[in-house]
Amino acid sequence: MGVSMGTKGSANRQRIVEAADHLFYSRGYNQTSFSDISDETGIPRGNFYYYFKTKEDILSAVVDSRLDIFRQVLDDCEAKSSDPRQRLLAFAETPVHNQQQVIEYGCPIGTLSSELCKEQAHEISSGRLTAVFDLIRDWCIEQFRALGFENRAHDLSMDLLAKLQGITLMANIYHDRKFLSRATEDVQAWLQQVTTN
Amino acid sequence: MGVSMGTKGSANRQRIVEAADHLFYSRGYNQTSFSDISDETGIPRGNFYYYFKTKEDILSAVVDSRLDIFRQVLDDCEAKSSDPRQRLLAFAETPVHNQQQVIEYGCPIGTLSSELCKEQAHEISSGRLTAVFDLIRDWCIEQFRALGFENRAHDLSMDLLAKLQGITLMANIYHDRKFLSRATEDVQAWLQQVTTN
DNA sequence: GTCTATACCTTGATAGAC
DNA sequence: GTCTATCAAGGTATAGAC
């Protein structure tokens, strides 16, 4: 790479993050080894330490990657409509939009956060643990505020996230597509109802 | 132990299961080692294999233990009232009743199931994975049926579990006691509303 | 920058003395 | 039944050649 893309832009680094992202999602962070990432990328284990100091540094890069992905998701929701209500309804569709993965592995944010919440050795800053949730929650707060819910915006956002996390978790555990669809419609009906006052 | 309590009733076996239960909850199943259980019980690592063939056998025993615990929880809810509505309202209180642990480690059933849903080597039967959820869901179905909701009993039970899982997960990740309390009241209000028709 | 070899530790599991 | 010693495998991380 003679071209200047900085250390963070290295092609190999990128491939490592992508493989780790996929593996952390499908197997969990703790159950993913350097060998797994090596197998998926073809890059030798020992080589990772040129790009990352520790496994947690890879995790941190994966979180950054997921932040980018969800920023894109939220941008798309904004692009679909100028009406905050429609934007929220569009966002609520995210789990069904990714239903294949959700049924199989759960929510990429929820399951990872839940795993990292457990008491263990890793010293990941609590800020990074909720980073993606914070991003989404703040975006939801913006939408609710634009609808005139100054005081309740925060609570409503937490409620929305809790509802989506709940149906995602149950759909995952029971591998139930129909429940995911039906329950999502209920969440959207709740959104309609709560925002029309 | 000259007294006949059977292999399953051994005092040491009991202590292993109790320690494993606590550790699987606070650290997660995969992040709990035999050494951890040994440290907590004082029983040497190699001794576990007299009571259990594999680590998964310990997991299975822990699931049995949690089944017993939740059977007791449901019995208590039944004992509190003969009105199925009141019983469901009492059950919805469970997370706040154990809020200390819920805030710190999440739901003992939800987090474990979520962890075990991930793709890995362990060959735990999918039946045991949802065993505790099945127990609770079936109990909820009974209550809704008793209230006259023959057709919707299953859906309503899934909805209730999803709501409780969602608020528990968010309360855990954000370590937010107030949210847990407020959102639980909302779930109870929903229960009241949906059962008064 | 890339790769191999390997150090060092912990894991789940076994063997065998008592 | 209880305990110690140990196994083989796999984990993260490091050193150093190219």
Side-chain angles (χ1 to χ4, degrees):
Chain A
M1 296 290 140
V3 200
S4 75
M5 25 191 349
T7 310
K8 288 210 169 185
S10 153
N12 274 349
R13 192 194 137 101
Q14 186 77 5
R15 285 170 55 212
I16 292 169
V17 173
E18 278 167 14
D21 191 353
H22 169 244
L23 288 163
F24 290 176
Y25 182 31
S26 58
R27 303 190 181 187
Y29 170 72
N30 290 307
Q31 288 306 291
T32 298
S33 69
F34 282 60
S35 299
D36 293 330
I37 306 177
S38 174
D39 290 344
E40 194 151 309
T41 57
I43 300 169
R45 281 178 301 283
N47 215 338
F48 297 155
Y49 293 91
Y50 174 73
Y51 304 100
F52 306 95
K53 269 203 291 287
T54 66
K55 190 185 176 186
E56 277 196 34
D57 283 354
I58 301 183
L59 173 61
S60 191
V62 166
V63 172
D64 285 335
S65 167
R66 295 196 185 177
L67 274 171
D68 287 341
I69 290 170
F70 275 91
R71 258 190 280 264
Q72 188 59 51
V73 168
L74 298 176
D75 282 350
D76 290 349
C77 291
E78 285 193 32
K80 272 177 193 152
S81 171
S82 58
D83 178 13
R85 184 185 292 104
Q86 292 302 319
R87 291 174 169 178
L88 287 167
L89 288 168
F91 174 69
E93 204 89 28
T94 311
V96 280
H97 186 264
N98 302 42
Q99 60 172 290
Q100 173 85 8
Q101 298 179 328
V102 162
I103 294 297
E104 214 166 344
Y105 307 122
C107 170
I109 322 166
T111 55
L112 180 64
S113 301
S114 182
E115 180 182 359
L116 298 178
C117 255
K118 295 291 182 185
E119 200 175 67
Q120 15 192 348
H122 64 221
E123 268 305 319
I124 187 166
S125 70
S126 61
R128 291 206 67 70
L129 210 153
T130 59
V132 191
F133 269 118
D134 289 343
L135 172 75
I136 297 173
R137 192 194 50 182
D138 290 348
W139 182 84
C140 290
I141 289 175
E142 265 185 58
Q143 311 310 315
F144 280 117
R145 284 222 177 104
L147 287 169
F149 297 92
E150 271 302 327
N151 299 331
R152 297 175 59 206
H154 181 274
D155 284 356
L156 287 170
S157 299
M158 287 291 285
D159 288 344
L160 176 56
L161 289 183
K163 284 174 199 294
L164 293 178
Q165 284 298 317
I167 64 178
T168 297
L169 190 140
M170 293 302 291
N172 177 27
I173 288 172
Y174 277 108
H175 301 294
D176 191 337
R177 266 190 176 72
K178 291 207 171 161
F179 169 76
L180 183 64
S181 304
R182 202 238 337 135
T184 298
E185 286 174 23
D186 290 348
V187 171
Q188 291 175 320
W190 169 81
L191 267 174
Q192 289 278 12
Q193 185 217 327
V194 84
T195 57
T196 51
N197 278 327
Chain B
M1 294 294 141
V3 200
S4 75
M5 32 193 339
T7 309
K8 287 209 171 185
S10 152
N12 274 349
R13 192 194 137 101
Q14 185 77 6
R15 285 170 56 212
I16 292 170
V17 173
E18 277 167 15
D21 192 354
H22 169 245
L23 288 164
F24 290 175
Y25 181 31
S26 57
R27 303 189 179 186
Y29 171 72
N30 290 308
Q31 288 306 290
T32 298
S33 68
F34 281 59
S35 299
D36 294 330
I37 305 176
S38 174
D39 290 345
E40 194 152 307
T41 56
I43 300 169
R45 280 177 300 285
N47 215 336
F48 297 156
Y49 293 90
Y50 175 74
Y51 304 99
F52 306 94
K53 267 202 291 287
T54 66
K55 190 184 177 187
E56 276 195 34
D57 282 354
I58 300 184
L59 173 60
S60 190
V62 167
V63 171
D64 284 337
S65 168
R66 294 195 186 176
L67 274 170
D68 286 341
I69 291 171
F70 276 91
R71 258 190 279 266
Q72 187 59 53
V73 169
L74 298 176
D75 282 350
D76 290 348
C77 290
E78 285 194 31
K80 272 177 192 152
S81 171
S82 57
D83 178 15
R85 184 187 290 104
Q86 292 303 320
R87 290 173 170 179
L88 287 167
L89 286 168
F91 174 69
E93 204 91 28
T94 311
V96 281
H97 187 262
N98 302 42
Q99 60 171 288
Q100 173 84 9
Q101 298 180 326
V102 163
I103 294 296
E104 215 167 343
Y105 308 121
C107 171
I109 322 168
T111 56
L112 181 64
S113 301
S114 182
E115 180 182 359
L116 298 179
C117 256
K118 296 289 182 188
E119 200 174 65
Q120 13 192 348
H122 63 220
E123 268 306 319
I124 187 167
S125 70
S126 61
R128 292 207 67 69
L129 209 152
T130 59
V132 190
F133 270 117
D134 289 343
L135 171 76
I136 298 173
R137 192 194 50 182
D138 290 347
W139 182 85
C140 289
I141 289 175
E142 264 186 59
Q143 310 310 314
F144 281 117
R145 284 223 177 105
L147 287 167
F149 297 92
E150 272 301 326
N151 300 331
R152 297 176 60 207
H154 182 275
D155 285 355
L156 286 171
S157 298
M158 287 292 285
D159 288 344
L160 176 56
L161 289 184
K163 284 173 200 296
L164 293 178
Q165 283 298 315
I167 63 177
T168 296
L169 189 141
M170 293 302 290
N172 176 27
I173 288 171
Y174 278 108
H175 300 294
D176 191 336
R177 266 190 176 70
K178 290 206 173 162
F179 169 76
L180 183 63
S181 303
R182 199 226 355 122
T184 298
E185 287 174 21
D186 290 350
V187 171
Q188 291 175 320
W190 169 80
L191 267 173
Q192 289 277 10
Q193 185 217 327
V194 84
T195 56
T196 51
N197 278 327

